[in-house]
Amino acid sequence: MQEFWQFARRMLRQRARVALALSCAAISAAGLGVSLLGILQIVRIILEQNQNLRDIARRFNDKLPAWLDFASLPENIILALPEGQHTAVIWLVAALAVLTVFGEAVGFTHQFLSIRVVHSTIRDIRAEAFSRVVRLPLSELVARGVADAISRMVNDTTVLAVGLTALLSKAIAQIGKGIAGLVAAFFFDWRMAGIAILTAPALYLVIRVISRKIRRASRKALESQADLYEASTEALQALRVVKVHTTEAHESARFDRINAESIRQMVKAKTYRALSSPLNEALALLALGAIVILASGFILDGKLDTPDFIMTLGSLGIAAASLKPLTGMIHQINEAGAAATRISEITRAQPEAGHDARLPALDRHTRSITMDNITFTYPGADEPALREVSLTIEHGETVAIVGPNGSGKTTLLSMVPRLFDVDEGAVLIDDRDIREVSVESLRAQIGVVTQETVIFRSSIRDNIAYGTARATLEQIKDAARKARASDFIEQRPGGYDAIVGERGATLSGGQCQRIAIARAVLRDPAILILDEATSMIDADSEAKIAQAIQEFTRGRTCLIVAHRLSTVLGADRIVVMDSGRIVDQGSHDELLERSDTYRMIAQHQLVPTQAET
Ligand code: ADP
Ligand code: MG
């Protein structure tokens, strides 16, 4: 709940608006109190039939406490008031009408300002959550799951908004009106009002117990909503696979299981909420019974007059009616409390290391990359993905890494741009531990192309220039030429300005990869990392790209995971990995001679290009 109040406190940043909103709430509540007094006068005129505005004004002066004497009406004003009884009713009704219109206008202003304050606060919280999420360490996001993060950013902030609105706009207005009703009741008859107040502790207990239950159920409901996001995004993103495997029914069943759980928790939370209402009403009825018994005694003994009795009861009724929705709001605030806890788990998470502005920049790499005895285990995995790997690569060298699936090739390459931090050992570039330099300066000199290329929904030009904002169109075209992408780009209607779909939906796999290669080329990296970067490109174009890559790698250090023999043969050195270890390294011929693993890989994995067949 603490987190909810922390987020609620952020609304105070808009001090002027909040202050104005609260003043409006107070004014509108005071208006209600005054209206009740006005109605009492009408009731009195009708029931007692001997009152006019002058009597009312005199009684007002009598009832004023001593310290408010300055507000008493002077006699000449009182004498100016009309005398008739019916006229008095007309005047009072007219005054009430004006007061009501004014009160409603002020009440609306309160609501309007509150809505603005709440939603601009939510906008900030959401923006902060997103900017935190993109700065999380990759390992953290992998462990949490993307859908979970999305659900917290989108869904939980919406639930929080409901809670904040309940707090600032509705709860405060209702409390104000409730208090106005109670104050008026005390004014009419303090004994009856006192009994009503006695029920407060019991109400408090009921609300407290139920609140705790609601918070727990809400937390579970929000968690299963995150699972719902996960199940649906997973299935929809892989819709091609789902369709060709005709697993629609399977996916629907999976979705339905999670959906059922999510609904079950939600029903639980709402049931507790619903339960609180009859409990509170039963309490209120008990209090009413006690009040009526007491009041009838007073009336029969002549200690209480009928107009006061009616008005006390009426005021208490208004107080109860105003406070009743409050329990619902308290429960909404509790649901928001569960959401606030989940949101703050993101906003409080430690960002990725290495972004400290005090860290020195890494100079452009000119000497070597060294993996010094590194060991790494993915979060949540049982087995290390890399075990005591040591490897030194000289500047300008091209190293091909081969190994069976899951042997740790991709993981090893991820260590260079520090996508993950090693558990033991160190990665050194030009003899500097990469943890001691700023990540920006490290990543700025690395170009990465992986098997799963990422294309954003934007123009081809922007996609190539992604991360190199100041690139000119000439440089972009040049990079595209080097990646052998210019032909197909120029043939498309729109050329470089053609918009490509989300995840590259309007491009073939090979075209996506060529754009990704152009993107890496444009960065002019000192270190080039290619992880099966050409796996989707047909053999004929690949031969051309291989040649282009070879030109491009000159003067750069290059780590390549490849599945084509030609690429491997073009490397200066071949490193063989198996089960997270480097098992051998050397030239193609040496390795064929002495490494069983390499021989197997060369036979079964490395695809010969046309040149070799
Ligand atoms: P390769 O690229 O050689 O096929 P990877 O480096 O991708 O292999 O994977 C090495 C090992 O690490 C595999 O056993 C794989 O299951 C595991 N692994 C890869 N990514 C993750 C991850 N995000 N979480 C847990 N384990 C992972
Ligand atoms: Mg891989």
Side-chain angles (χ1 to χ4, degrees):
M1 224 38 226
Q2 195 191 344
E3 293 86 0
F4 174 80
W5 294 112
Q6 272 161 5
F7 284 126
R9 215 167 298 142
R10 289 195 188 201
M11 297 194 293
L12 296 181
R13 290 183 192 168
Q14 303 173 53
R15 218 166 281 139
R17 271 192 204 161
V18 172
L20 193 58
L22 294 186
S23 316
C24 287
I27 293 173
S28 123
L32 179 71
V34 174
S35 304
L36 286 174
L37 291 179
I39 296 172
L40 171 72
Q41 307 314 322
I42 297 178
V43 170
R44 207 165 245 145
I45 292 169
I46 295 169
L47 287 182
E48 297 181 357
Q49 301 198 350
N50 56 0
Q51 308 263 324
N52 63 18
L53 285 178
R54 293 180 187 182
D55 302 319
I56 292 169
R58 292 212 174 86
R59 203 170 44 245
F60 170 78
N61 281 352
D62 291 346
K63 278 221 174 184
L64 272 186
W67 58 277
L68 274 177
D69 259 352
F70 62 89
S72 63
L73 298 166
E75 193 59 27
N76 53 352
I77 293 198
I78 292 180
L79 288 176
L81 293 171
E83 253 180 313
Q85 289 172 25
H86 197 229
T87 325
V89 173
I90 294 173
W91 274 51
L92 284 170
V93 169
L96 282 177
V98 172
L99 196 64
T100 306
V101 170
F102 174 73
E104 295 298 327
V106 172
F108 167 77
T109 312
H110 166 228
Q111 301 280 320
F112 173 74
L113 288 171
S114 304
I115 291 168
R116 297 276 302 262
V117 168
V118 166
H119 286 90
S120 65
T121 304
I122 287 296
R123 182 185 142 181
D124 287 351
I125 293 173
R126 219 177 244 168
E128 182 185 328
F130 181 79
S131 84
R132 293 289 179 137
V133 167
V134 289
R135 285 173 178 78
L136 279 181
L138 202 54
S139 52
E140 184 99 1
L141 203 64
V142 166
R144 282 180 186 281
V146 170
D148 178 74
I150 296 178
S151 169
R152 287 174 202 239
M153 286 184 293
V154 179
N155 193 32
D156 294 13
T157 48
T158 308
V159 175
L160 180 61
V162 173
L164 290 179
T165 311
L167 175 70
L168 184 62
S169 112
K170 298 185 202 143
I172 284 177
Q174 298 306 114
I175 289 176
K177 285 185 188 160
I179 289 177
L182 278 179
V183 168
F186 267 100
F187 181 81
F188 298 135
D189 190 75
W190 63 269
R191 296 159 298 199
M192 287 165 68
I195 294 188
I197 288 286
L198 283 182
T199 53
L203 281 175
Y204 171 77
L205 271 184
V206 170
I207 290 176
R208 206 182 124 102
V209 169
I210 289 185
S211 291
R212 202 172 309 138
K213 302 256 181 216
I214 288 183
R215 270 205 303 277
R216 183 166 317 149
S218 295
R219 168 137 198 134
K220 288 196 185 140
L222 291 174
E223 278 163 9
S224 42
Q225 271 166 35
D227 294 342
L228 212 53
Y229 267 96
E230 188 170 293
S232 43
T233 45
E234 208 169 74
L236 294 184
Q237 275 169 2
L239 204 55
R240 275 167 189 260
V241 179
V242 171
K243 284 190 184 297
V244 293
H245 290 83
T246 55
T247 47
E248 290 92 341
H250 169 80
E251 290 299 334
S252 299
R254 182 164 92 112
F255 182 87
D256 199 45
R257 259 198 314 280
I258 301 169
N259 189 16
E261 174 61 17
S262 151
I263 296 294
R264 200 175 73 85
Q265 296 294 349
M266 196 119 70
V267 165
K268 209 162 150 185
K270 307 256 177 216
T271 306
Y272 283 124
R273 200 205 273 192
L275 191 62
S276 87
S277 173
L279 283 177
N280 291 337
E281 266 161 36
L283 273 171
L285 280 177
L286 283 180
L288 181 69
I291 289 170
V292 168
I293 291 173
L294 179 88
S296 54
F298 286 155
I299 293 178
L300 294 177
D301 291 351
K303 288 184 201 156
L304 181 68
D305 66 357
T306 321
D308 271 345
F309 169 71
I310 293 177
M311 286 314 294
T312 317
L313 218 50
S315 302
L316 285 176
I318 287 184
S322 306
L323 293 176
K324 185 169 177 263
L326 205 59
T327 54
M329 287 164 211
I330 292 176
H331 299 327
Q332 282 179 337
I333 290 175
N334 275 301
E335 287 172 3
T341 309
R342 283 167 49 83
I343 298 165
S344 71
E345 280 167 9
I346 308 187
T347 52
R348 281 201 202 138
Q350 280 292 322
E352 185 183 36
H355 289 280
D356 191 331
R358 284 166 300 185
L359 285 173
L362 178 69
D363 292 331
R364 193 170 167 94
H365 152 71
T366 51
R367 297 204 299 278
S368 63
I369 300 176
T370 305
M371 317 274 178
D372 183 11
N373 208 19
I374 60 179
T375 297
F376 172 74
T377 309
Y378 279 103
D382 309 324
E383 294 268 297
L386 295 175
R387 306 165 202 252
E388 297 163 351
V389 172
S390 286
L391 177 68
T392 299
I393 305 164
E394 296 304 322
H395 175 257
E397 195 180 7
T398 296
V399 171
I401 300 169
V402 298
N405 284 330
S407 58
K409 305 180 294 290
T410 299
T411 310
L412 183 69
L413 296 186
S414 311
M415 296 298 149
V416 181
R418 203 180 163 191
L419 293 180
F420 298 99
D421 268 335
V422 294
D423 297 328
E424 281 163 49
V427 179
L428 309 167
I429 293 185
D430 294 355
D431 301 323
R432 282 191 91 159
D433 190 324
I434 57 171
R435 282 170 296 194
E436 288 164 10
V437 296
S438 84
V439 209
E440 285 90 353
S441 68
L442 166 71
R443 290 179 189 161
Q445 39 184 303
I446 301 176
V448 181
V449 185
T450 60
Q451 186 169 18
E452 301 99 29
T453 50
V454 177
I455 302 291
F456 298 93
R457 188 148 104 184
S458 179
S459 65
I460 291 184
R461 175 182 172 167
D462 288 347
N463 264 293
I464 295 177
Y466 189 76
T468 320
R470 53 194 195 298
T472 64
L473 184 57
E474 261 330 294
Q475 290 170 320
I476 292 171
K477 285 184 172 171
D478 184 53
R481 257 192 303 279
K482 285 185 177 149
R484 303 292 187 268
S486 48
D487 286 350
F488 86 82
I489 295 173
E490 277 152 20
Q491 277 162 19
R492 284 176 84 84
Y496 286 87
D497 291 316
I499 302 288
V500 288
E502 200 176 340
R503 296 169 157 257
T506 58
L507 296 169
S508 77
Q511 289 172 335
C512 287
Q513 284 190 329
R514 279 185 265 181
I515 288 182
I517 294 171
R519 186 186 290 162
V521 166
L522 186 64
R523 286 169 77 84
D524 183 24
I527 301 165
L528 188 64
I529 293 175
L530 303 176
D531 190 352
E532 315 215 16
T534 54
S535 54
M536 317 268 264
I537 298 173
D538 58 276
D540 186 36
S541 340
E542 205 205 4
K544 289 185 209 146
I545 294 177
Q547 186 196 352
I549 288 178
Q550 221 153 45
E551 287 162 26
F552 185 67
T553 55
R554 213 163 293 139
R556 300 169 210 272
T557 309
C558 198
L559 288 121
I560 301 181
V561 174
H563 64 295
R564 286 203 208 262
L565 193 56
S566 62
T567 318
V568 174
L569 287 174
D572 300 313
R573 183 161 36 133
I574 301 165
V575 169
V576 186
M577 290 193 72
D578 197 4
S579 315
R581 292 178 201 280
I582 293 184
V583 292
D584 209 339
Q585 48 183 304
S587 72
H588 178 68
D589 292 335
E590 284 166 13
L591 289 170
L592 268 188
E593 187 112 330
R594 66 168 183 248
S595 167
D596 293 337
T597 318
Y598 185 72
R599 219 172 296 129
M600 202 189 66
I601 291 165
Q603 269 172 19
H604 300 294
Q605 233 183 33
L606 297 180
V607 187
T609 34
Q610 282 159 332
E612 284 122 5
T613 45

